Amino acid sequence: MIRLPPRASTVAVYAVACVVLEVAMLGWWAATRATVLFVALQLVLVVLVWLGLLVIRYRGFRHDYEQAIATNAILADRSRLADELHDALGHELSLIALKAGNLQVRTTGAVQEQAADIRRDVAKAVEQLHRALESAREDATSESIDAMIDRLTASGVSISQTGRRPPRLPTTVEHGLHQVLRETLTNALTHAPGRPVTIAYRTDPDVVAVEVRNPMPSDQIQRSRTSTSATGLDALGRRLALSGGRLDHMVEDGEFVVAARIPRHPTSTPADVGTRRRSPLRRTVASALVPTTVAVLVLIGFYAWSTHDDVVEDSVFARLRVGIPAPTAERLLPPRQAPVRLVPTHAHDPDWSCAYYTDGNFPLGLAVFEVCSDEGVVVRLTDLRKQSWL
């Protein structure tokens, strides 16, 4: 047994219902020949079909919207988990590498070789961690900037700070600044252990700027151009860009330089990006705008064609009389007859010449005036609006 998806089954049921209704109306029209009412019912059916399609489309958009929100929540959880791993492992591994480097310098023989092996293994592990966590991450900061710098200084890292860091910053700005310093200091510990690090702050009314510099060993300068160690900085730069910030990193005069600009009033946050979708209602209205506009233009164009040079005013029709010469009536009537003739008329003599005109009724411009003549004389005038259209 074939099982259709819920959306497809809804469309199928709706289509079958429309076909059945259309067949029933065709049968009714064949039995009654009530053309005007049949056309009106056809227009109603078209409107109902269109509204039904919009409802189905809205439900589809709503499903996609809810799916996007759920997906974004899952990605946010994965990003937070990855960031926790990056913070917990990357930073601590860098400290281990620093301590192994100190041990390597202070010892000799087998112990020195083992310390060198440990340092190389840790550096390799940090590289692999950066490659695995190149996606953007967002998480709350549990350690303040001052506490982080104090901890690193106590571990033997030489850190000097210039400029003034604002004491009170919005949470998102403080978090962004913390991420920049954490990432840059981790890179400095990994690739330039034992070298001094300089942090320079600059504060503008709208931006908090920070620049971090550390000297690089000569063998690291060339390697930095192709190394994947900047993966974390690249991901951090993408995160800052989402909120209107900027992060650049480069090698300058033998120093590795990271410069970041963090807006005090972010335009957005990374967590908002996945949910930045138009509402289902707005998407439905937008999707219906073009076909609706086209349908309205077609209807207006058809009405202009059907009422061009064939409209008779009620006052003009009232001046016509049975028995007046046909040329006299023709001078009062427009040159063109109404092309849409759906209103039923009474039978007339086959020798009569009958013409039909409209009063400009919207939207079809139906012919509602009948003027019949025979042997040059008007013999019948009929206002079709006064008789049954069934």
Side-chain angles (χ1 to χ4, degrees):
M1 181 178 179
I2 300 176
R3 292 183 178 272
L4 296 176
R7 194 182 307 178
S9 61
T10 301
V11 174
V13 171
Y14 192 69
V16 170
C18 291
V19 170
V20 171
L21 185 59
E22 177 67 17
V23 171
M25 286 196 297
L26 285 172
W28 173 82
W29 174 78
T32 61
R33 293 295 174 180
T35 306
V36 175
L37 186 56
F38 174 75
V39 172
L41 291 176
Q42 289 291 306
L43 293 176
V44 171
L45 180 61
V46 169
V47 172
L48 291 177
V49 170
W50 178 239
L51 292 177
L53 291 176
L54 288 181
V55 170
I56 294 174
R57 196 165 182 81
Y58 169 78
R59 291 178 62 185
F61 285 146
R62 187 178 64 183
H63 177 269
D64 295 341
Y65 185 78
E66 294 172 350
Q67 193 75 16
I69 293 177
T71 301
N72 184 69
I74 294 174
L75 292 176
D77 290 339
R78 291 172 58 184
S79 179
R80 282 192 292 270
L81 178 59
D83 201 38
E84 290 176 0
L85 291 174
H86 182 276
D87 294 347
L89 297 180
H91 199 64
E92 297 303 325
L93 287 174
S94 297
L95 290 176
I96 294 174
L98 176 63
K99 294 176 181 179
N102 291 335
L103 184 61
Q104 182 183 0
V105 173
R106 297 175 183 177
T107 59
T108 59
V111 175
Q112 186 181 46
E113 293 179 0
Q114 291 177 355
D117 291 340
I118 293 173
R119 182 182 172 186
R120 284 193 295 269
D121 292 342
V122 170
K124 182 179 179 181
V126 171
E127 291 285 341
Q128 293 175 347
L129 180 64
H130 278 296
R131 285 196 295 268
L133 303 179
E134 64 181 34
S135 301
R137 299 159 181 83
E138 189 69 23
D139 190 22
T141 303
S142 58
E143 183 183 43
S144 68
I145 294 175
D146 289 332
M148 177 179 64
I149 293 176
D150 291 342
R151 179 169 59 86
L152 293 176
T153 302
S155 299
V157 183
S158 175
I159 300 177
S160 60
Q161 301 182 74
T162 62
R164 179 177 175 272
R165 190 176 77 245
R168 294 184 181 87
L169 290 172
T171 303
T172 54
V173 179
E174 181 80 17
H175 180 47
L177 182 59
H178 186 282
Q179 286 184 314
V180 170
L181 293 176
R182 182 183 61 202
E183 186 68 33
T184 53
L185 292 174
T186 298
N187 284 344
L189 290 173
T190 302
H191 303 287
R195 303 298 179 97
V197 180
T198 302
I199 303 175
Y201 302 101
R202 183 172 58 84
T203 303
D204 295 332
D206 299 324
V207 174
V208 176
V210 61
E211 183 181 88
V212 182
R213 291 175 171 266
N214 64 274
M216 295 187 65
S218 57
D219 60 327
Q220 289 284 347
I221 294 177
Q222 183 61 32
R223 191 182 308 172
S224 66
R225 305 180 192 275
T226 58
S227 174
T228 59
S229 62
T231 298
L233 291 175
D234 292 336
L236 183 57
R238 290 192 292 268
R239 282 210 299 278
L240 289 180
L242 291 175
S243 59
R246 180 184 177 91
L247 186 142
D248 298 304
H249 56 87
M250 68 207 78
V251 177
E252 185 178 275
D253 298 330
E255 293 184 320
F256 189 75
V257 182
V258 178
R261 293 173 57 85
I262 306 170
R264 286 177 173 265
H265 307 286
T267 57
S268 66
T269 61
D272 297 332
V273 176
T275 56
R276 275 192 163 190
R277 300 170 64 93
R278 289 185 300 175
S279 67
L281 181 59
R282 291 184 62 185
R283 293 184 66 191
T284 304
V285 172
S287 67
L289 187 60
V290 172
T292 300
T293 302
V294 172
V296 170
L297 292 178
V298 169
L299 183 61
I300 293 175
F302 178 83
Y303 176 74
W305 169 78
S306 65
T307 57
H308 179 64
D309 285 342
D310 57 11
V311 177
V312 174
E313 301 294 338
D314 288 342
S315 58
V316 174
F317 188 75
R319 292 168 59 185
L320 301 176
R321 294 289 185 272
V322 174
I324 65 173
T328 302
E330 290 175 357
R331 285 194 292 270
L332 297 175
L333 296 173
R336 178 172 175 260
Q337 295 188 43
V340 184
R341 306 170 189 175
L342 302 180
V343 183
T345 60
H346 297 295
H348 57 77
D349 191 293
D351 293 333
W352 289 5
S353 175
C354 295
Y356 300 89
Y357 306 93
T358 181
D359 61 351
N361 55 82
F362 186 83
L364 299 180
L366 296 175
V368 295
F369 296 128
E370 181 187 52
V371 180
C372 295
S373 59
D374 182 39
E375 296 181 355
V377 177
V378 175
V379 294
R380 188 168 80 180
L381 297 171
T382 307
D383 186 346
L384 301 178
R385 298 172 299 182
K386 298 179 180 179
Q387 67 183 42
S388 174
W389 287 13
L390 299 178

